[in-house]
């Protein structure tokens, strides 16, 4: 939902290649404080480190910032991603190789 008059803080966003679903950190992993042993956690650490180097307090990664169990949220996210990438202060790229 659009927040009328809300100020969205500057943030970074991650463009990355996806690994197997079992290795990606999910929204549920973050909510349950699990997933740190998954290979995809490396991408979260990478993005956090890069954002910190650029003075950004926030970053967004599709694999773990979208609750894919909520079909309405998933549909809204898919339709909004172009704008989220466009509005990001920084876009980092993480390639698995």
């Amino acid at each position: 939902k659009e927040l009328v008059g809300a100020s969205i803080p500057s943030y970074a966003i991650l463009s990355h290649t996806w690994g197997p679903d079992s290795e990606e950190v999910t929204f549920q992993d973050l909510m349950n404080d699990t997933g740190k042993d998954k290979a995809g956690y490396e991408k979260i650490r990478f993005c956090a480190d890069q954002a910190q180097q650029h003075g950004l307090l926030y970053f967004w990664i599709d694999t773990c910032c979208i609750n894919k169990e909520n079909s309405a949220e998933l549909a809204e996210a898919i339709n909004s991603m172009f704008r989220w990438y466009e509005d990001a202060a920084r876009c980092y790229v993480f390639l698995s190789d």
Side-chain angles (χ1 to χ4, degrees):
K1 295 179 182 177
E2 288 294 322
L3 300 174
V4 177
S7 177
I8 297 172
S10 294
Y11 63 92
I13 199 163
L14 184 69
S15 179
H16 62 105
T17 53
W18 282 47
D21 285 348
S22 62
E23 290 300 321
E24 292 293 348
V25 178
T26 66
F27 178 83
Q28 284 70 28
D29 286 328
L30 291 183
M31 293 297 100
N32 297 322
D33 197 28
T34 58
K36 292 179 182 171
D37 60 337
K38 293 183 176 183
Y41 194 74
E42 181 182 358
K43 293 184 265 191
I44 295 172
R45 292 186 52 83
F46 165 80
C47 194
D49 291 345
Q50 292 298 309
Q52 184 178 30
Q53 287 180 26
H54 291 113
L56 297 168
L57 299 176
Y58 303 96
F59 61 91
W60 187 89
I61 304 172
D62 56 2
T63 51
C64 58
C65 292
I66 301 171
N67 181 359
K68 295 173 204 72
E69 293 183 1
N70 180 323
S71 59
E73 181 175 331
L74 178 58
E76 182 177 348
I78 290 169
N79 291 325
S80 301
M81 273 208 263
F82 178 83
R83 188 178 71 250
W84 295 344
Y85 276 88
E86 182 179 47
D87 292 345
R90 298 275 181 161
C91 179
Y92 306 121
V93 176
F94 186 96
L95 301 175
S96 59
D97 59 353

